[in-house]
Amino acid sequence: MATTRRPFVGGNWKMNTTRAAGLELARAVADAARAHPEAEVVVYPSFPFLEGVRERVSGSGLSVGGQDCAGHQTGAHTGQVSAAMLQEVGCASVLIGHSERRHGLSESDALLSMKLHRAVECGLQPVLCVGETLAQREEGNADGVIAQQLHGALHGHSEQSLAALVIAYEPVWAIGTGRTAAVSDAEAAHRTVRQTLADLYSARFAEQVRVVYGGSVHAKNAAELFGCEEIDGGLVGGASLVAADFATIIASAASRSSMRRGR
Ligand code: PGA
């Protein structure tokens, strides 16, 4: 079935860029986003740069999001940033459960479920990241891990509350390593995501949620990845810091929607 899912491209800047370099990068990405309105483009700068970047890209069609939000609404949580704060500085989106937080900071599915609640309450688009480690893949358990992560984080959430949900499938072993998942493996994982969403909610919901791939997406492999029916775009780390490369990735995602119209 041809879908009408709008391609999504996220640029996860992680703990990179200076303020000046971030503003310059944002300006260039805004130009690319303006040139390709078929794709939804979001950049995720570090917290201190969010407001400046958002002001810089205002009116371009490029959105800005947080790399994380707290599981609590407010209070004594030193160093954390709430979903409401992100919303107040103009964020439209937030990453939840990135592997560098799941594995580097031991974030649990229960905590991610709380973060998802906070994001939804504040009207932020949640981009929930899931993905297996190399050991889990080699044990033949990739699908099981993906399904378990989805069940854990989505627990207690209604289909209606998740209308804006995006899922990023990011195999941990492909993030920042230059090792991309084989297109057939990525496609299979995306099918697992969609089947799990259908089991948890409905086939209709599963069909409309965007499922994007992350893990060493770059200018040269984006077109092949995004050419797959199941892959609705990408969450990009390293290559999103290079304006020309990220522009190529955005163009690849946008042409996916024109390919579809031609089908
Ligand atoms: P990468 O990172 O593109 O540098 O592999 C992807 C991510 O962490 O979202």
Side-chain angles (χ1 to χ4, degrees):
M1 189 199 318
T3 106
T4 53
R5 295 186 296 264
R6 186 181 179 204
F8 175 96
V9 184
N12 178 8
W13 294 0
K14 308 190 179 182
M15 201 172 70
N16 292 299
T17 85
T18 60
R19 185 172 193 280
L23 292 176
E24 182 53 30
L25 177 59
R27 191 197 49 73
V29 176
D31 288 345
R34 202 183 281 109
H36 297 288
E38 309 89 333
E40 178 180 0
V41 187
V42 187
V43 290
Y44 299 87
S46 298
F47 291 135
F49 304 151
L50 281 172
E51 198 162 13
V53 167
R54 203 211 41 90
E55 280 165 11
R56 178 62 58 97
V57 305
S58 166
S60 67
L62 172 62
S63 300
V64 174
Q67 295 176 14
D68 178 53
C69 69
H72 293 92
Q73 285 173 325
T74 186
H77 303 288
T78 302
Q80 298 200 47
V81 171
S82 71
M85 291 169 183
L86 294 178
Q87 192 263 338
E88 195 177 347
V89 296
C91 286
S93 180
V94 63
L95 302 181
I96 293 177
H98 189 279
S99 79
E100 286 151 16
R101 300 194 65 91
R102 281 182 189 271
H103 299 286
L105 298 170
S106 304
E107 293 195 350
S108 66
D109 288 324
L111 174 60
L112 302 183
S113 174
M114 286 170 65
K115 293 183 178 205
L116 200 48
H117 275 293
R118 302 292 85 81
V120 167
E121 271 165 15
C122 293
L124 297 174
Q125 168 192 63
V127 178
L128 175 66
C129 306
V130 298
E132 79 287 357
T133 63
L134 187 57
Q136 289 165 333
R137 172 156 288 269
E138 285 174 349
E139 284 158 12
N141 199 21
D143 286 345
V145 168
I146 294 166
Q148 186 196 322
Q149 289 174 338
L150 288 170
H151 276 267
L154 298 177
H155 183 75
H157 293 268
S158 69
E159 178 174 328
Q160 291 68 29
S161 71
L162 298 176
L165 179 71
V166 173
I167 303 288
Y169 166 63
E170 301 204 297
V172 177
W173 47 271
I175 295 176
T177 59
R179 268 186 79 181
T180 315
V183 173
S184 54
D185 287 342
E187 246 189 321
H190 283 225
R191 267 191 233 106
T192 299
V193 169
R194 242 180 257 292
Q195 186 55 53
T196 307
L197 294 176
D199 294 344
L200 279 167
Y201 299 104
S202 66
R204 200 182 124 271
F205 178 72
E207 180 59 28
Q208 83 199 19
V209 170
R210 286 165 303 168
V211 184
V212 303
Y213 171 80
S216 298
V217 175
H218 51 73
K220 293 208 170 68
N221 63 12
E224 189 193 3
L225 284 162
F226 303 163
C228 293
E229 177 76 18
E230 285 295 331
I231 302 180
D232 298 316
L235 182 58
V236 186
S240 74
L241 297 170
V242 182
D245 289 358
F246 197 51
T248 302
I249 292 168
I250 291 168
S252 300
S255 66
R256 167 182 171 76
S257 69
S258 51
M259 267 167 16
R260 288 193 163 168
R261 275 198 302 275
R263 267 181 200 163

